[in-house]
Each structure stands twice: as C-alpha cells, then as structure tokens.
Amino acid sequence: MTMRKLLFVNACMRGEESRTLKICKTFLEAYRRKYPDSTVEEVNLSTMELKPYDAQMLAERERLTREEAWDNEIFALARQFAEADDIVVGAPYWDLSFPSKLKIYVEHMMAGGIAFYYTEEGPKGLAKAQTMYYLTTGGGFIEGQNFGAEYFRGIAKMCGIAQFKEARAEGLDIIAWMWTH
Ligand SMILES: Cc1cc2nc3c(=O)[nH]c(=O)nc-3n(C[C@H](O)[C@H](O)[C@H](O)COP(=O)(O)O)c2cc1C
C-alpha cells in the first residue's frame, strides 16, 4: 500500500455553502479510497489572512533565499507544496479565473529555491507531486475560457509536476438566474 500526502488548496470562499467544496469533498473521498493510507493537508484560504507580497516582503524573502534559510516560516507554504505527493486546487470560477486569495497563496508558495529554481535554460521544477488536480464550478458556461485552470497548468509545469487534470461543473446559476428575471 502506498503512503501518500495530498495537499488540498481550498479556495472556496463561501465555505460550507460552496458547490466547489462539495466537489472537492467527493474528490477527497475517492482519493482516500484509492490510497487508504494517505493523509490530507488542507490550506483553507477563506480563513487565512495572507498578505499580498510588497517591496518589503520581497526584500526579506530575497535576503532569506540568499542565506538559504529554508526553515524560515516565510517558506512554510512553499515547502508544504513542494513536499506533497499530489495537489488538488479547489476554486470557484470568479471573473474568468478564481478568487484573488488564491493568487496571493501562489505568491507565497512560488519561492525560488523550493518550488522551482532558475537555470540558464529557464525555470526547473522542484515539486515532488506527480499530479495536480484543478476543480472548479461556474455560474455560466466556462467553455474555452477556463483561465484559472490554464494558469495552474502553467504553475504545475513550472514546478515540475508532470500531470495536470481539471474537472468542472458549469452552468450552475442559470436556473436561479432565469427564475429571478
Ligand atoms: C465574485 C464572483 C465572480 C463570478 N464570476 C463568474 C464568471 O466570470 N463567470 C461565471 O460563469 N460565473 C461567475 N460567478 C458565478 C460562480 O462561478 C458560481 O456561482 C460558482 O458555482 C460559485 O462556486 P461556489 O458555490 O463554490 O462558491 C461568479 C461568482 C462570484 C461570487
């Protein structure tokens, strides 16, 4: 039996009301059935107060990167991401992509030297994960405009995660909208 560590990046801002979260829960159940010994670590962005990166924070991170102070708290989210065996990102479809707290998470997580590093041929990934899953739900039809998923496809590639899979439920608000108009 394989012991695996799944990282659940929960960007479902409506908490328990969220339909995206329901899909994530179904995914987590299926994952646990497939890997009964797996553990799940959750980053719940709706309750976390992450600060967007500014000049001071960047300077501090650069200093700690130069010192290779990888145990510093500033790198905690990057280390957690890089050490997961699989990653699932759950995010509702907001304004053609996802809630802004998820972008702020990426700013914290994409620490050079942990999630990836630069070479003369461009960035090379350092994340251990085999697969990144991206789950979303949309009020209308997402069709060819799943920019959130495409963004995370790029993040997965940059971090060296070989497989990217996305699933979505669409058109969830259309009935509700029709009833009120
Ligand atoms: C701030 C905000 C922005 C949204 N933007 C879009 C959009 O661009 N396109 C769309 O089809 N639905 C949009 N929706 C509707 C959501 O995608 C839809 O209600 C989704 O299922 C919400 O997921 P949740 O139940 O997990 O919160 C938006 C909803 C909110 C609250």
Side-chain angles (χ1 to χ4, degrees):
M1 216 172 282
T2 342
M3 263 284 261
R4 300 186 74 78
K5 191 162 60 181
L6 175 73
L7 173 63
F8 172 31
V9 182
N10 178 355
C12 301
M13 294 300 128
R14 297 199 305 129
E16 292 302 314
E17 295 291 304
S18 161
R19 279 96 47 106
T20 315
L21 184 62
K22 281 202 181 82
I23 290 180
C24 293
K25 285 183 176 171
T26 304
F27 173 90
L28 294 178
E29 279 165 26
Y31 190 90
R32 283 200 198 94
R33 269 199 304 278
K34 189 167 178 192
Y35 304 109
D37 275 357
S38 58
T39 54
V40 177
E41 274 181 31
E42 178 177 344
V43 175
N44 187 344
L45 296 176
S46 67
T47 52
M48 263 170 109
E49 289 306 329
L50 288 177
K51 229 181 123 202
Y53 260 80
D54 59 18
Q56 198 188 345
M57 290 162 78
L58 282 171
E60 175 69 351
R61 184 162 74 178
E62 271 165 34
R63 184 181 68 78
L64 292 164
T65 301
R66 273 197 306 276
E67 289 173 11
E68 300 190 7
W70 307 127
D71 288 338
N72 191 283
E73 188 58 21
I74 208 170
F75 297 121
L77 289 171
R79 284 200 314 269
Q80 181 190 46
F81 183 91
E83 286 163 14
D85 293 302
D86 289 305
I87 295 160
V88 56
V89 178
Y93 188 64
W94 277 16
D95 310 318
L96 306 186
S97 65
F98 46 68
S100 56
K101 278 188 151 184
L102 185 54
K103 177 61 174 69
I104 299 172
Y105 167 79
V106 172
E107 289 177 8
H108 285 257
M109 176 281 283
M110 287 296 275
I114 299 184
F116 68 93
Y117 67 103
Y118 283 112
T119 69
E120 280 179 12
E121 297 93 51
K124 289 259 186 307
L126 289 173
K128 191 174 141 195
Q130 289 177 359
T131 309
M132 181 189 279
Y133 302 87
Y134 186 88
L135 309 179
T136 195
T137 69
F141 289 104
I142 300 173
E143 293 175 7
Q145 300 205 103
N146 203 355
F147 299 121
E150 290 314 306
Y151 173 75
F152 271 92
R153 190 189 296 280
I155 292 287
K157 191 172 173 207
M158 185 163 168
C159 294
I161 301 170
Q163 279 200 85
F164 180 83
K165 294 183 179 178
E166 55 127 335
R168 58 184 188 266
E170 304 172 77
L172 299 192
D173 295 336
I174 291 172
I175 298 292
W177 187 87
M178 281 164 72
W179 279 4
T180 52
H181 287 75

